[in-house]
Amino acid sequence: MGLDLSLASPGFAAVSVRNRKPRLIAATHVRTGTDENYAQRYEAIEAFTTLFIREQLRAAGRICAVIRESFPPSRNPRLPQTIYGAWAAVDRGLHKYGVEVADVISPTDVKKRIAGSGKAEKADVAEGVRKLLGLPEDYRFATDDESDACAVALAWLIGQNIIDGKVAE
C-alpha cells in the first residue's frame, strides 16, 4: 500500500505484484473540509483508513508493506503539525488491524523513480504510474492524491527490486 497523506485529501493505494508486474487493486482518497475542526478532520481520516485497511485485508488476506511519503522540512510551522496529525490518524486506523507503516520514501525519490526527474510535475507522475500499472493512457485518477499514493507504492517496489522500472540516476 502507498500513502500520500495530507489533512485536506489523503490518498491511499493498494497494489499487488505477481511475476514482477504491479497491478492496481484500489486507489482512493478522503476529503476533509475547512468547515470541520481539526479533531473532526483527523477522525474522518482515521475512520477512512480503518475501512480501507479492513477492505484490503478482506480481499487479499494480508498486506506486505505500507509505505508513506516522507515530509520535507517546511517554513510554515502549521503545515508539519497538520501532516503529522494526518500521519497519527492513519497510524491509529492501521493499528486497529495490526498493520504498521513499514517504510517511508522521499517525494524526490518517488518522482525520480516514477517520472525520471526529482522535479517532475504531477501530470508526469500520473503518466508514469499509468505506464507502470499498464493502465490505458486515458485512465484518469480522481485526484492527484490517488496517483501520488500509487506512485509511492510503485517507487518503493522499484527501490526494493520487487518490480522493474526505470530508476533515474
Side-chain angles (χ1 to χ4, degrees), residues 21-58:
K21 182 167 174 41
R23 183 173 66 93
L24 180 62
I25 303 300
T28 190
H29 70 284
V30 60
R31 286 211 191 276
T32 68
T34 56
D35 60 328
E36 299 170 295
N37 64 43
Y38 284 116
Q40 292 167 330
R41 295 173 86 176
Y42 294 136
E43 182 61 34
I45 293 168
E46 180 181 340
F48 188 87
T49 303
T50 301
L51 293 173
F52 184 75
I53 199 74
R54 175 180 175 256
E55 183 178 299
Q56 298 315 309
L57 284 168
R58 283 187 167 186

Side-chain angles (χ1 to χ4, degrees), residues 5-120:
L5 301 180
S6 68
L7 179 61
S9 180
F12 300 77
V15 175
S16 69
V17 178
R18 177 173 272 183
N19 299 324
R20 301 185 60 84
K21 182 167 174 41
R23 183 173 66 93
L24 180 62
I25 303 300
T28 190
H29 70 284
V30 60
R31 286 211 191 276
T32 68
T34 56
D35 60 328
E36 299 170 295
N37 64 43
Y38 284 116
Q40 292 167 330
R41 295 173 86 176
Y42 294 136
E43 182 61 34
I45 293 168
E46 180 181 340
F48 188 87
T49 303
T50 301
L51 293 173
F52 184 75
I53 199 74
R54 175 180 175 256
E55 183 178 299
Q56 298 315 309
L57 284 168
R58 283 187 167 186
R62 68 185 179 104
I63 293 172
C64 296
V66 177
I67 311 305
R68 169 171 53 215
E69 190 173 55
S70 64
F71 181 68
S74 172
R75 290 188 181 126
N76 175 350
R78 189 73 171 145
L79 187 57
Q81 179 183 354
T82 63
I83 296 298
Y84 296 140
W87 283 18
V90 167
D91 286 348
R92 286 190 307 272
L94 294 174
H95 289 170
K96 290 174 187 173
Y97 284 92
V99 177
E100 294 185 12
V101 172
D103 206 351
V104 295
I105 186 169
S106 76
T108 303
D109 283 345
V110 171
K111 292 175 183 179
K112 281 182 189 175
R113 293 177 186 172
I114 302 304
S117 167
K119 296 181 180 184

